Amino acid sequence: MSNQKVKFHKRNLTAIALGILFGWALYAFLPQEAYQELKHYIRTVSNIYIRFLKLMIVPIVFISISHTLVNLSNDSNVGQRIGKIVAYFVISVTSAAAIALGTASIFGFDKIIDVSKFSTENISEGYANRIDALSDASLGNVIYGFTKNIPTSIFQAFSDNNIIGTLLVAMLIGMAVRRMNSRKPNEMGMVIKGLDAAKIIINSMTMTIIKLTPYGVLALMTMAVAEKGPSLFSDLAKFIFVAYFTMLLIFVMHLVVQMLNGVNPVKHLKNLMPAIITGFSTQSSGATLPVTINSLEERNGVDTETANIAASLGTTMGMNACGAMWPVFMIVLSVGVTNAMGGNLALYSPSVLITMFISVVISSFGIAGLPGTASFAAITAMTIMGITPEVMGIVLTFVLSVDSLIDMGRTATNIFGVSSAATFISKREGLMDMETFNKEN
């Protein structure tokens, strides 16, 4: 397909369709013993792809941010840019939470769990451990936990794939080079030339890995369907439908914002399809970071500075689905379970609503962009709301069987929201390359 010039997003969509068909065939016709052997070969392909993507996270963040800072014009204000990006994140998270509350209320999420089917014995052990680990989710503790992203060693930040830590190190180095450039122009000139060369190399490496995406997507979708078969789509069908319907509304929200900002929403969506599809397949904002940055710069025309900062920050904050929709869904379910167990929690009282939105915004910061971490954001928000560990365990166990399927959509929604933030800020600042945006990819 690549040699025949088939568009990249069409190749990925074809890979998703083939993955579903292959996975379904393996589930339906291949004996379980034979599949257990075959899945190691399929997993090898997906593992190579995801590991290559993760391999590029730290180099991309470090080189891109450092390179951007040392090449900034004197009148550029990085602090203001970061502030605007974070402000967009907070507003979009709050808006996504409002949308999620509306759909959860319309479809009666507070009444869909039959409490009689659950007990402390059948609550998922994994979720119980997470709840215990986050038992103190006070505002002070959440803020303190976020400071743990500050590395005590430059090499530790790199080896741990600590995106926030790497971002901080890159900013410090970039600002140091800018400050010393007037005093030591020869030495700093060599550093700047080195960063220029490094960026060219990193971009070339990233493009090579991105070309592997259809193969990785095919393997990931085949594994996802072959593992669970029809249950992947039939269990909790109403819950799955509402989750994806809500994510569709969040997409529409961002598209309307882009239209009001003078950006063609359809072209905006098409330009970001490689990142959206990769996020859907990998279930990891962090692993998709190289594709996200590439799509923003090379396809959507976002300036390098905004694209790198927004995409990097977006792997740990501002996630519309993991940090907003999912915690709201879990809170609404928790209210229903609490009341079914004899409690009296009025979801729509002003105090409960205000507490819920504050807790959702707080819990949306510091999330790791990895599969399944939406549960940590949900547990943090529910703890701030005062939901008991027993109720949390029941709710999280209830959605356990479909969490992976919904996580695909959550990651894609997160990436689209973050990319929309970068596009909005870049366009408002007059830095967006509309020729790149409008060209046929």
Side-chain angles (χ1 to χ4, degrees), residues 277-290:
I277 293 173
T278 304
F280 183 86
S281 306
T282 62
Q283 303 175 48
S284 170
S285 298
T288 311
L289 182 61

Side-chain angles (χ1 to χ4, degrees), residues 59-295:
I60 283 178
V61 173
F62 178 73
I63 297 298
S64 297
I65 298 298
S66 300
H67 181 269
T68 299
L69 288 175
V70 300
N71 288 286
L72 285 178
S73 59
N74 293 329
D75 57 352
S76 180
N77 193 320
V78 179
Q80 285 187 5
R81 191 74 52 81
I82 293 175
K84 290 176 181 178
I85 291 170
V86 173
Y88 188 103
F89 285 169
V90 171
I91 294 171
S92 66
V93 164
T94 305
S95 301
I99 292 172
L101 177 62
T103 55
S105 301
I106 291 171
F107 288 94
F109 271 20
D110 57 335
K111 297 181 177 65
I112 67 173
I113 296 182
D114 185 354
V115 179
S116 64
K117 295 181 179 180
F118 293 87
S119 65
T120 54
E121 285 75 22
N122 62 14
I123 292 175
S124 168
E125 181 180 349
Y127 282 133
N129 293 336
R130 295 184 185 185
I131 292 167
D132 291 339
L134 293 171
S135 58
D136 178 14
S138 61
L139 175 59
N141 192 49
V142 171
I143 294 173
Y144 170 73
F146 189 74
T147 64
K148 293 180 181 178
N149 288 303
I150 301 174
T152 56
S153 164
I154 292 177
F155 301 104
Q156 180 189 21
F158 295 167
S159 64
D160 292 347
N161 261 5
N162 181 345
I163 296 174
I164 294 296
T166 303
L167 183 66
L168 290 173
V169 172
M171 291 180 69
L172 288 172
I173 291 176
M175 289 186 291
V177 172
R178 281 177 61 83
R179 186 170 59 251
M180 296 301 296
N181 196 28
S182 59
R183 304 178 190 176
K184 302 283 186 178
N186 293 332
E187 291 85 347
M188 294 304 103
M190 294 173 62
V191 173
I192 293 172
K193 287 182 179 179
L195 288 172
D196 289 339
K199 192 170 192 304
I200 293 172
I201 294 170
I202 292 298
N203 287 345
S204 178
M205 292 173 64
T206 302
M207 286 305 301
T208 300
I209 294 171
I210 288 174
K211 290 178 181 178
L212 300 175
T213 298
Y215 307 102
V217 168
L218 175 62
L220 287 163
M221 288 305 301
T222 301
M223 286 283 295
V225 177
E227 289 288 336
K228 292 189 176 182
S231 67
L232 183 66
F233 303 98
S234 61
D235 290 352
L236 297 172
K238 177 181 177 181
F239 186 80
I240 296 170
F241 167 77
V242 176
Y244 273 90
F245 177 66
T246 303
M247 288 185 276
L248 175 62
L249 293 179
I250 294 173
F251 264 75
V252 172
M253 174 189 75
H254 285 291
L255 291 173
V256 170
V257 170
Q258 297 303 325
M259 182 176 65
L260 296 175
N261 196 36
V263 173
N264 184 326
V266 177
K267 191 69 168 68
H268 172 66
L269 179 62
K270 287 176 63 178
N271 288 344
L272 295 174
M273 283 305 293
I276 293 169
I277 293 173
T278 304
F280 183 86
S281 306
T282 62
Q283 303 175 48
S284 170
S285 298
T288 311
L289 182 61
V291 188
T292 305
I293 293 176
N294 179 268
S295 297

